[in-house]
Amino acid sequence: MTADLQKGRMGPRACLLGLLALFVAGKCSYSPEPDQQWTLPPGWVSLGRADPEEELSLTFALRQQNLERLSELVQAVSDPGSSRYGKYLTLEDVAELVRPSPLTLHTVQKWLLAAGARNCHSVTTQDFLTCWLSVRQAELLLSGAEFHHYMGGPAETHVVRSPRPYRLPKALASHVDFVGGLHRFPPTSTLRQRPEPQVPGTVGLHLGVTPSVIRERYNLTAQDVGSGTTNNSQACAQFLEQYFHESDLAEFMRLFGGNFAHQASVARVVGQQGRGQAGIEASLDVEYLMSAGANISTWVYSSPGRHESQEPFLQWLLLLSNESALPHVHTVSYGDDEDSLSSAYIQRVNTELMKAAARGLTLLFASGDSGAGCWSVSGRHRFRPSFPASSPYVTTVGGTSFRNPFRVTDEVVDYISGGGFSNVFPRPSYQEEAVAQYLSSSPHLPPSSYFNASGRAYPDVAALSDGYWVVSNHVPIPWVSGTSASTPVFGGLLSLINEHRILRGLPPLGFLNPRLYQQHGEGLFDVTRGCHESCLNEEVEGQGFCSGPGWDPVTGWGTPNFPALLKTLINP
């Protein structure tokens, strides 16, 4: 240590020896998330500093190993041309691959123990550690952090967050990716209830999207339901401060589920169901996953009841890393602007999604409800991609509307349908041909300065997102719209296809994108009309990307034609 001090610097070993003392002195520290934006979301207010003795639950993301090998395995088990196709890894296989090094585990545990952390819990993969500390201990441990109480959102949610960046000892730079529970706020719903379109007369018309309308449009028969005899299951995950009512689900099925076999209750709720009123988005997710994927066992991941310092989406990722037996299909209506998240966080979450793909889980994420999005960078407008929609390891679902809103017709773009090109993730090889074709042939491309043409392009597929009926708090609610609707619909149909595969002794579909792009969207209705919204300026005048033949960054490959999609995906 003396030699290091004489040179005017301290080496990693010296840092480790004096970990907490040096940390408190502000020396030898680094910021894991220097680019994490901190802004108080609209509708949230500060309630002042947290009590120093108040208890916090913080999650430490430990550095993983062998991620390149994990990426290779995902490609192998997801590519129909590979000899390893469908031979998914178990959770234990994944743990053996990515588990942090013994040095990482020892260093982090020693650091937390010295800080007074208690009730620490890991996951099967050992790459997350959740511990309890007092606010005083956490502020000493995480230099610069200052915890405050905040309240906001439709449910007047209470959270504890730090408006200031935190720093860690440099000795931990190769051991900790980030600390969860400091900056990111719970998401808010982007669902919209649109005014009912006006059209004279109602003969031969439908009055909004219901399960029977979906089944008619996507060519499902009464026989296209689960058998109820396999271990097939599906799940939706909810991170808003809301939940569903079993009585709403039963009433929804009574009103709209009369012409197909279905289950009227959820098989398992992971998490806690809060008390009080149900939320429209939570009700929508469950009702349409269970009516599209009819008669299939359904789980709901629910975040209400979590501790104020926890991040609901992060807690869901931890659950995936701690359960050996999971539903095959997961639908998620959650997203953040890519630019609002730190590089460390976004890359680590992407790795968690890659872990799920290696295990053969089909993760479907809503593409968002802001079209191409828009933000200003140094006075110049750019489109604003959403994450995890932009992750190369998920299947992202966009949105469509009926050409005639009162008839079961062909579909056009729903102008809110999220889509575009990632500014973080490069274009994956599986979509190289399709995206290059779009970029070279579309007659309506926005100016190149608005998007990163070499980035991961999304969505991959789409489904109806406009004009849904939902039962919430015992009341049927019409004209609910958003990709939060299209995502569970597409997920439910994939669950039906998994049912056929399982009955034939085949593995479930797993990560769908490599197969989807290889088959050039076979089994899907191509949506070729319409554009989505974007920046309201003179240069683009509110127009983002436009749909066209084949894949496009508004509706992906298109919407499901169930019999054709089943035929395409039933083969080994």
Side-chain angles (χ1 to χ4, degrees):
M1 183 180 286
T2 305
D4 284 326
L5 284 172
Q6 286 173 345
K7 293 175 185 176
R9 65 180 187 273
M10 301 184 74
R13 186 179 174 192
C15 275
L16 194 54
L17 290 172
L19 217 52
L20 277 174
L22 288 168
F23 177 66
V24 173
K27 300 174 184 177
C28 254
S29 64
Y30 79 106
S31 174
E33 301 184 81
D35 52 347
Q36 174 68 51
Q37 288 190 16
W38 196 95
T39 54
L40 193 62
W44 286 79
V45 296
S46 173
L47 302 179
R49 288 287 297 270
D51 186 309
E53 302 310 315
E54 184 175 344
E55 295 286 298
L56 296 177
S57 169
L58 298 176
T59 298
F60 301 84
L62 277 57
R63 186 69 49 84
Q64 299 151 313
Q65 301 189 96
N66 304 312
L67 297 186
E68 285 190 14
R69 177 59 181 154
L70 181 65
S71 176
E72 292 168 0
L73 288 170
V74 169
Q75 177 64 27
V77 300
S78 308
D79 180 358
S82 165
S83 60
R84 287 210 56 164
Y85 180 62
K87 296 175 182 176
Y88 304 124
L89 279 66
T90 64
L91 176 60
E92 290 68 29
D93 292 334
V94 172
E96 192 66 32
L97 200 62
V98 306
R99 181 180 294 120
S101 70
L103 178 61
T104 290
L105 294 170
H106 176 75
T107 302
V108 175
Q109 288 166 1
K110 185 176 179 181
W111 172 61
L112 290 172
L113 189 65
R118 55 202 167 276
N119 296 331
C120 290
H121 297 282
S122 188
V123 292
T124 302
T125 48
Q126 293 184 258
D127 46 5
F128 284 109
L129 198 58
T130 300
C131 296
W132 288 89
L133 303 98
S134 70
V135 166
R136 188 194 312 277
Q137 290 169 328
E139 290 180 350
L140 280 173
L141 188 73
L142 308 171
S143 177
E146 185 181 280
F147 290 93
H148 293 244
H149 278 278
Y150 297 91
M151 182 181 73
E156 295 191 338
T157 306
H158 287 253
V159 301
V160 176
R161 294 290 186 269
S162 170
R164 297 185 178 180
Y166 65 98
R167 300 180 68 83
L168 299 180
K170 268 188 183 172
L172 294 174
S174 60
H175 303 299
V176 177
D177 287 334
F178 70 88
V179 183
L182 279 91
H183 298 317
R184 288 165 285 274
F185 280 76
T188 55
S189 175
T190 57
L191 273 182
R192 311 180 187 190
Q193 189 175 6
R194 295 178 179 166
E196 180 179 342
Q198 298 301 307
V199 66
T202 58
V203 177
L205 306 179
H206 70 80
L207 297 177
V209 175
T210 64
S212 62
V213 169
I214 286 169
R215 297 180 80 83
E216 180 182 348
R217 168 57 186 156
Y218 297 143
N219 293 320
L220 283 85
T221 69
Q223 285 69 50
D224 290 319
V225 296
S227 66
T229 61
T230 71
N231 63 351
N232 191 18
S233 57
Q234 58 189 0
C236 57
Q238 300 167 352
F239 312 117
L240 303 169
E241 289 301 303
Q242 56 174 248
Y243 54 95
F244 75 100
H245 281 164
E246 287 278 7
S247 57
D248 287 337
L249 175 61
E251 177 66 6
F252 178 85
M253 291 300 186
R254 187 188 70 79
L255 290 173
F256 302 120
N259 59 354
F260 57 91
H262 59 266
Q263 298 183 8
S265 62
V266 166
R268 181 177 173 188
V269 175
V270 182
Q272 294 183 351
Q273 281 281 73
R275 297 177 180 176
Q277 290 199 328
I280 294 179
E281 183 150 339
S283 304
L284 170 81
D285 287 346
V286 175
E287 289 165 8
Y288 281 91
L289 180 61
M290 293 185 67
S291 55
N295 211 33
I296 290 175
S297 177
T298 302
W299 296 18
V300 174
Y301 288 86
S302 179
S303 68
R306 59 168 179 76
H307 188 265
E308 290 180 347
S309 60
Q310 290 175 339
E311 298 177 31
F313 180 61
L314 190 57
Q315 296 308 305
W316 176 71
L317 292 174
L318 265 66
L319 287 170
L320 294 189
S321 280
N322 212 33
E323 290 253 4
S324 294
L326 290 168
H328 302 308
V329 173
H330 297 251
T331 73
V332 186
S333 303
Y334 160 80
D336 271 313
D337 297 323
E338 271 189 352
D339 59 273
S340 73
L341 302 169
S342 73
S343 176
Y345 176 84
I346 207 169
Q347 293 291 349
R348 177 55 187 265
V349 170
N350 191 54
T351 298
E352 297 308 304
L353 302 173
M354 179 166 58
K355 284 162 59 178
R359 295 172 62 192
L361 303 182
T362 302
L363 303 185
L364 295 106
F365 276 79
S367 70
D369 298 334
S370 302
C374 186
W375 65 315
S376 182
V377 187
S378 302
R380 289 192 59 83
H381 286 95
R382 293 196 70 182
F383 295 158
R384 195 172 203 179
S386 175
F387 179 80
S390 64
S391 166
Y393 295 106
V394 305
T395 299
T396 304
V397 186
T400 60
S401 305
F402 282 126
R403 182 167 46 83
N404 180 330
F406 288 97
R407 293 190 184 277
V408 180
T409 59
D410 58 339
E411 293 161 74
V412 297
V413 169
D414 185 350
Y415 67 91
I416 66 168
S417 179
F421 295 78
S422 174
N423 290 321
V424 175
F425 303 105
R427 185 190 306 166
S429 58
Y430 61 73
Q431 65 171 191
E432 184 67 47
E433 179 187 345
V435 177
Q437 173 65 24
Y438 175 82
L439 290 172
S440 65
S441 63
S442 174
H444 303 293
L445 278 182
S448 60
S449 61
Y450 277 72
F451 64 101
N452 172 29
S454 64
R456 169 3 183 186
Y458 70 97
D460 305 297
V461 294
L464 285 163
S465 57
D466 184 22
Y468 278 69
W469 280 90
V470 179
V471 174
S472 190
N473 299 302
H474 310 289
V475 178
I477 302 169
W479 303 108
V480 175
S481 301
T483 53
S484 296
S486 56
T487 306
V489 166
F490 206 102
L493 299 190
L494 292 182
S495 291
L496 294 181
I497 295 172
N498 273 339
E499 184 87 358
H500 285 268
R501 290 181 61 88
I502 292 167
L503 289 170
R504 289 191 178 197
L506 298 171
L509 289 166
F511 175 43
L512 186 61
N513 289 11
R515 181 166 187 163
L516 180 72
Y517 283 82
Q518 279 185 29
Q519 295 177 340
H520 297 95
E522 190 177 345
L524 299 169
F525 291 119
D526 195 3
V527 179
T528 60
R529 296 178 56 185
C531 309
H532 63 184
E533 62 187 0
S534 74
C535 301
L536 288 170
N537 62 358
E538 291 182 2
E539 196 168 16
V540 295
E541 297 180 332
Q543 180 174 293
F545 297 99
C546 296
S547 62
W551 179 89
D552 59 68
V554 192
T555 60
W557 286 106
T559 62
N561 178 4
F562 183 75
L565 191 60
L566 174 62
K567 184 178 179 181
T568 298
L569 296 178
I570 193 63
N571 298 321

